């Protein structure tokens, strides 16, 4: 069994990709379960096998605890952690090959608060995990923007202590493939940065960050994905398959 958390900035397409990639896996005759862990979601494009909203909702927390929307999202993340044993027991009981976990949209609340990393730690004690980190193709298409996107994916990986495959999602919205090439080719990105007419300090900072990125994730490739044309699904599947076969797992 492989647990696949979908993580990424708000609106990057986690829910849509989890639903659509889940269909793709089911078409390949894998047993797939979808877990919605976003208590703030109003609409889901898939039928969840587990829905955190059966236990609590962000809107209810606001009313009950007389707190604002952001505090309620933080509270929801704590409540997910409090329920983690129950969630994990249910996951372990299923016969699934893949459990796709649709995580709350506010990445900073889940990934950069202790409850998020504690939840992931428990998850990884019980099963094999490989996350998918989404960068929206609608992210700021500037060279420093790419550096920030790559750093963010690394920061989440460090914070949650889990392997992540980074995808450039909504690739159907890309006007050119340059965006993807820049993410996958540090040399191209370096050239682009050095040609920018921006403050030297900022460019130096971006270039130094690029050196770290090259050192930490030398071989990691960013895959372009889209729910519109299913671009990248086979590649994503192959990568997930590769990671787990290399650990001697048969799923
Ligand atoms: N063009 C295009 N739009 C997409 C794609 N995937 C998702 N979207 C759109 O992006 C918007 C946000 O998608 P969601 O799946 O709700 O994103 P999310 O990351 O789950 O959002 P939060 O959970 O609120 O952070 C929706 O309007 C989707 O229809 C894609 O591959 N291509
Ligand atoms: Mg979502």
């Amino acid at each position: 069994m492989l647990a696949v958390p979908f993580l990424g900035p708000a609106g990057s397409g986690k829910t849509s990709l989890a639903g659509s990639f889940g269909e793709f896996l089911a078409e390949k005759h894998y047993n797939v379960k979808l877990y919605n862990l976003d208590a703030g979601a109003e609409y889901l494009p898939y039928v969840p096998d587990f829905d955190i909203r059966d236990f609590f909702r962000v809107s209810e927390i606001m009313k009950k605890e007389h707190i604002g929307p952001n505090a309620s999202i933080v509270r929801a993340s704590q409540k997910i952690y409090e329920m983690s044993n129950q969630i994990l027991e249910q996951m372990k009981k299923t016969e699934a090959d893949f459990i796709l976990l649709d995580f709350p949209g506010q990445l900073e609340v889940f990934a950069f608060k202790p409850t998020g990393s504690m939840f992931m730690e428990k998850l990884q004690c019980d099963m094999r995990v490989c996350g998918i980190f989404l960068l929206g193709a609608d992210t700021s298409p500037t060279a420093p923007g790419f550096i920030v996107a790559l750093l963010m994916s690394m920061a989440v990986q460090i914070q949650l202590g889990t392997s992540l495959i980074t995808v450039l999602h909504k690739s159907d919205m890309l006007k050119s493939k340059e965006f993807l090439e820049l993410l996958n080719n540090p040399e191209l990105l370096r050239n682009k940065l050095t040609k920018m007419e921006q403050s030297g300090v900022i460019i130096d900072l971006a270039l130094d960050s690029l050196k770290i990125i090259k050192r930490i994730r030398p071989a990691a490739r960013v895959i372009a994905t889209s729910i519109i044309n299913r671009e990248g699904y086979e590649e994503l599947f192959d990568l997930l398959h590769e990671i787990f076969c290399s650990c001697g797992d048969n799923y």
Side-chain angles (χ1 to χ4, degrees):
M1 182 194 295
L2 176 59
V4 186
F6 284 72
L7 300 156
S12 52
K14 299 174 288 296
T15 300
S16 312
L17 184 60
S20 171
F21 191 63
E23 271 174 25
F24 171 82
L25 292 173
E27 286 164 23
K28 282 186 176 286
H29 306 292
Y30 284 101
N31 184 346
V32 183
K33 301 283 179 219
L34 278 145
Y35 275 43
N36 172 46
L37 296 181
D38 187 353
E42 287 296 330
Y43 163 79
L44 295 176
Y46 56 81
V47 179
D49 299 285
F50 174 91
D51 195 344
I52 199 74
R53 299 173 305 173
D54 291 340
F55 303 89
F56 54 87
R57 285 176 182 260
V58 167
S59 53
E60 291 163 1
I61 297 174
M62 276 202 285
K63 280 186 209 139
K64 266 194 211 152
E65 302 194 14
H66 304 289
I67 50 178
N70 294 316
S72 301
I73 291 164
V74 173
R75 189 70 193 100
S77 156
Q78 284 164 350
K79 283 163 92 66
I80 291 177
Y81 178 68
E82 285 159 17
M83 275 189 66
S84 52
N85 288 343
Q86 191 180 334
I87 299 171
L88 293 174
E89 278 315 308
Q90 175 151 350
M91 287 172 79
K92 282 194 280 182
K93 266 194 270 167
T94 67
E95 298 284 302
D97 300 306
F98 292 93
I99 300 183
L100 310 185
L101 300 152
D102 182 7
F103 271 91
Q106 290 71 11
L107 180 69
E108 61 284 6
V109 173
F110 183 77
F112 299 117
K113 293 262 183 214
T115 43
S117 45
M118 290 189 306
F119 179 84
M120 289 303 263
E121 201 180 316
K122 277 194 174 187
L123 184 64
Q124 290 182 96
C125 277
D126 283 338
M127 61 193 70
R128 208 157 274 161
V129 179
C130 179
I132 296 181
F133 186 82
L134 285 80
L135 300 172
D138 40 4
T139 311
S140 160
T142 63
F146 299 126
I147 302 275
V148 171
L150 291 171
L151 286 174
M152 187 160 62
S153 129
M154 283 185 345
V156 171
Q157 196 152 326
I158 293 166
Q159 178 70 15
L160 296 182
T162 182
S163 335
L164 290 176
I165 295 171
T166 306
V167 302
L168 177 61
H169 190 53
K170 309 189 191 181
S171 61
D172 56 284
M173 292 173 81
L174 289 175
K175 290 202 178 69
S176 88
K177 288 283 172 200
E178 194 199 7
F179 203 124
L180 187 63
E181 282 166 26
L182 284 169
L183 283 170
N184 278 323
N185 187 335
E187 218 29 60
L188 263 183
L189 192 49
R190 203 180 67 80
N191 287 341
K192 187 110 181 162
L193 280 167
T194 49
K195 285 181 193 142
M196 286 185 70
E197 293 169 11
Q198 226 172 332
S199 149
V201 181
I202 301 295
I203 299 302
D204 285 349
L205 186 60
L207 287 168
D208 282 345
S209 304
L210 188 57
K211 280 186 203 152
I212 297 171
I213 292 167
K214 267 168 75 178
R215 203 170 68 231
I216 297 182
R217 54 192 311 280
R221 211 156 33 83
V222 177
I223 301 173
T225 53
S226 165
I227 60 162
I228 307 293
N229 51 22
R230 288 186 164 189
E231 182 180 6
Y233 283 23
E234 284 290 350
E235 211 178 336
L236 191 55
F237 171 74
D238 287 348
L239 266 184
L240 287 172
H241 196 262
E242 205 176 289
I243 290 166
F244 289 95
C245 287
S246 68
C247 303
D249 194 43
N250 283 322
Y251 64 89

